[in-house]
Amino acid sequence: MKTKTEFLAQFAFREDGSGLIGVERERFLVDGLGCPIALSKGFLREVNNPRWTYELSACQVEDRTDPKRLREEILAELALNDLAGEEAAKRIGCELRIMEVAPVAMPLTVYPDPRYFEIAKRISEEELRAACRVAGVHIHYGVANMAEALRVYNRLRAHLGYLSHIGDCSHGERLALYRTMAPKSIPPRYKNEDDFYKTACERGFAENPRDCWHLIRISRHGTVECRMFGACETQRVMHLVDVVRRIVEGGRCCYETTW
């Protein structure tokens, strides 16, 4: 088990990163009938772009933006990603599809990555199917240090119910499936660094912060990451970006919840 110092050293905070926004969007590759198809390896070879990467399901790919401060910069990168992704998908005979929840009878092919093979090996078929069927939008808010990360995390956590509500277009199905694979997905409150480290040890992500499956988490990239939003169109993505920024920088939103 990593010591507290070793654990905290895994987080790449940057002074100049505070307030920057990054977006990750998961999407499915589908055939002409709209059915998910396990072509992510071929898609990534064709798109040949570092802003695109793989997910657990070989039917899914993810695009991401570089950290940006201006809304217009985020929009521009999302548009460039869309263009590159749509062209690459067309060249290999499929298309990118925004689906918050994929059909039950989709392939359960796992992308050939050692970490994902290990995950698939230790979970049940029900959990694997749940993990493969969901697609989301993750919004990262950059922070300068752990003290700021804890403040931003706890502020967003106070609005978890509201954020989950506005990011849901599947009548709760995606989050229900998410809880199947991550039953401890509700983010706990952290009083300080010691509390954060204690939780990491108890919930099994002290060795690797990527193994934290909370709907809000402090990311190793030096951000606080919101993971409760379902896959959606660009206009809705930008609305979610605006809401996250308003909560963090203004401290208030429509209403608060306690968890």
Side-chain angles (χ1 to χ4, degrees), residues 20-92:
L20 299 183
I21 296 283
V23 175
E24 298 171 341
R25 299 180 295 177
E26 298 165 348
R27 279 176 276 184
F28 287 96
L29 298 166
V30 301
D31 61 19
L33 298 175
C35 300
I37 186 168
L39 288 179
S40 62
K41 191 172 181 180
F43 170 89
L44 292 173
R45 184 170 55 247
E46 187 67 31
V47 76
N48 191 28
N49 187 321
R51 291 203 184 109
W52 285 91
T53 189
Y54 54 85
E55 285 294 313
L56 172 71
S57 170
C59 300
Q60 199 176 114
V61 288
E62 176 187 279
D63 75 290
R64 55 197 175 197
T65 69
D66 290 330
K68 298 295 182 183
R69 194 171 303 279
L70 298 180
R71 197 176 193 277
E72 294 75 15
E73 294 176 322
I74 300 170
L75 265 172
E77 287 211 352
L78 294 177
L80 286 173
N81 288 355
D82 286 341
L83 181 61
E86 288 161 8
E87 290 180 347
K90 186 177 181 179
R91 288 195 296 270
I92 64 170

Side-chain angles (χ1 to χ4, degrees), residues 82-203:
D82 286 341
L83 181 61
E86 288 161 8
E87 290 180 347
K90 186 177 181 179
R91 288 195 296 270
I92 64 170
C94 65
E95 67 175 90
L96 283 169
R97 179 71 56 86
I98 297 171
M99 288 192 292
E100 194 168 341
V101 179
V104 173
M106 67 170 287
L108 298 185
T109 310
V110 174
Y111 188 86
D113 172 83
R115 178 171 178 265
Y116 287 151
F117 280 151
E118 181 59 34
I119 290 173
K121 187 169 66 175
R122 70 170 185 257
I123 62 178
S124 68
E125 183 176 327
E126 180 189 16
E127 291 169 323
L128 177 60
R129 189 172 301 279
C132 287
R133 290 182 63 205
V134 297
V137 169
H138 299 173
I139 295 175
H140 292 255
Y141 189 94
V143 288
N145 50 53
M146 183 57 74
E148 184 182 2
L150 292 169
R151 287 196 302 273
V152 170
Y153 168 91
N154 284 322
R155 182 167 287 179
L156 287 166
R157 179 188 169 277
H159 296 273
L160 178 61
Y162 175 68
L163 292 169
S164 299
H165 171 69
I166 65 169
D168 173 38
C169 294
S170 64
H171 304 288
E173 185 179 10
R174 174 183 172 271
L175 287 178
L177 288 168
Y178 192 92
R179 287 192 293 272
T180 297
M181 55 166 282
K184 294 182 178 179
S185 59
I186 300 299
R189 182 172 179 80
Y190 300 136
K191 291 178 283 189
N192 49 41
E193 290 181 358
D194 291 337
D195 206 19
F196 181 36
Y197 175 60
K198 179 182 177 183
T199 300
C201 293
E202 292 172 348
R203 299 200 177 183

Side-chain angles (χ1 to χ4, degrees), residues 1-10 197 201 206-207:
M1 181 70 70
K2 281 185 166 59
T3 66
K4 176 186 162 186
T5 300
E6 292 169 333
F7 170 64
L8 296 177
Q10 297 178 90
Y197 175 60
C201 293
E207 293 296 314

